Amino acid sequence: MPKVGRQTWVFPSAPGVIATGTVAGKVESEGPLGACFDVQITEAGMQGPSWEKDEQALFYRAAETALRKANLRPQDLDLVIGGDLNAQLTGFYYGLREIAAPKLGVYSACSTFTESVAVAALALEAGFAERVLIGACSHNSSAERQFRFPTEYGVQKPATAQRTVTGAGAAVLSQEVAPVVVTAATIGEVVDYGITDAWEYGAAMAPAAAHTIGAHLTDTGRSLADFDCIATGDLGRMGHALLRDLLGQAGHDPGECLTDCGLLIFRPDQPEVMAGGSGAACSALVTLGHLLEQLKNGSWQRILVCATGALLSQVMSQQKETIPSISHAIVFERREVNHA
Amino acid sequence: MKAASRDDRVTYQQLVDRNRPARPVVANTIRAFVVGGGICVIGQVVQTVFVRFGHFSQTDAANPTVAVMIFLSVLFTSLGVYDRFAQWAGAGSAVPVTGFANTMAAAAIEHRSEGWVAGIGGNMFKLAGPVIVYGVVSAFVVAIVRFALTHL
């Protein structure tokens, strides 16, 4: 039975992550994980004619890098699944239009990365695809302009605000055996605890992460101790603290293994980092560039990545709606690959 | 949707309030005072220069002074400095002339990629528009009141 409990899919065929491609913006490249990324952008500011085109280029470079590392051509792909934060998913559709393969664009804000992995693993498990390219991207300036203010507008952001990550992460998932495999996915529900402040995404998303983690543990019968690392997508400092409280109330002690991609990607003293990183690329970059490497080199055996998405739009925000959030979780495991 | 009950929401909001880092109100107030005052002092210096060396009258010097302050604000906005300065300075950077110029310039720069008409023309007043709209509306109301008081 591939579905266990209420909302968890298990993948007995264990689709493998055969290659990853990561492109990091300037501030991300200067962060603590900078050296983990395949392409590190060193120039500041706009590279092409617009922020949107810059973002599309990031996605294309990440996809191209993943394909090159997997030694594949676009025609070898059965499916491309991904998304970004732009309206109409322009980062994904425009950025990857050169890659001739069937495409599915997905959106769940900053949890788009794990949603892509879940849908890809589903297609691989069901036999509808042999190789799937997945990915997510975000760009600080295009996100600022779509969700907040013009980039050069002088306004003071509070300490709970987060910095949207500039970058893109892509990976090729395949039915082949690989050192890192996807073994389960827990699809999140939309959770809304009434947060309205668009500077407090972390607080809006923490209950969604707690809910999905709780559901995963209930569905699979596992405990937090079964994971070497549980990484949320982009809760930031305040959201991370809230998640610890919420898990504690539910009787789980996350201890040292609970971390957050938004806290890992930047140093607190980097410019305008405030509460940490956010954006669809945040969990994609940290997971593909850093967390999966820990599985590959044998430091860890099993991790849970719960990317978190605040599903607001500027219009809904201006209509004073509360912020609904979602979190999709993926279990990545290490597999010993026999080279005999 | 996971229906969070009213009680759940209230309890969670209390948890959020406990975890929210305190706003540095005192530091922000001091910075806003110093920076806002500082910008005004610069404006005063510019005006004095126009009066002393440009032989303008005190009243006539106002227009070129405002022009210089707008130019400085737009220059620093386009150099990418103003927004970083505002993050530090807070409300101090919102003093009318320079803050207003920043909103216009920031929106214009941002939307340059959508062209001169739909982009810059259509969006330049995106942030500044409300100030003008409600400025004019409130001026109208005040004028009506004044008219009523003086003529009735």
Side-chain angles (χ1 to χ4, degrees), chain A residues 46 49-52 141 145 149-160 189-197 199-200 202-207 211 238 241-242 245-246 249 271-272 274 314 322 324, chain B residues 1-4 8-13 15-16 18-23 28 31 76-84 86-91 93 99 102-103 106-107 109-114 126-127:
Chain A
M46 202 185 280
S50 71
W51 297 123
E52 287 72 21
S141 300
R145 136 189 169 95
F149 301 113
T151 45
E152 300 303 333
Y153 176 43
V155 64
Q156 191 181 43
K157 296 176 182 174
T160 53
E189 289 178 17
V190 174
V191 175
D192 188 339
Y193 271 67
I195 300 294
T196 50
D197 189 343
W199 295 118
E200 296 185 353
M205 299 189 296
H211 192 264
M238 175 161 136
L242 285 165
D245 284 354
L246 292 172
Q249 285 172 11
E272 288 187 31
M274 297 157 291
Q314 203 178 35
T322 57
Chain B
M1 186 172 108
K2 164 89 164 69
D8 286 346
R9 287 187 172 199
V10 170
T11 320
Y12 184 64
Q13 192 60 53
L15 190 65
V16 172
R18 275 206 301 280
N19 276 281
R20 183 182 295 117
R23 272 182 182 249
N28 276 351
R31 282 177 186 180
F76 287 117
T77 300
S78 52
L79 291 174
V81 178
Y82 200 93
D83 60 321
R84 273 180 262 168
Q87 176 65 28
W88 186 85
S93 65
N102 165 256
T103 62
I109 293 166
E110 191 68 51
H111 291 279
R112 172 68 187 90
S113 54
E114 288 88 70
K126 203 161 104 174
L127 297 165

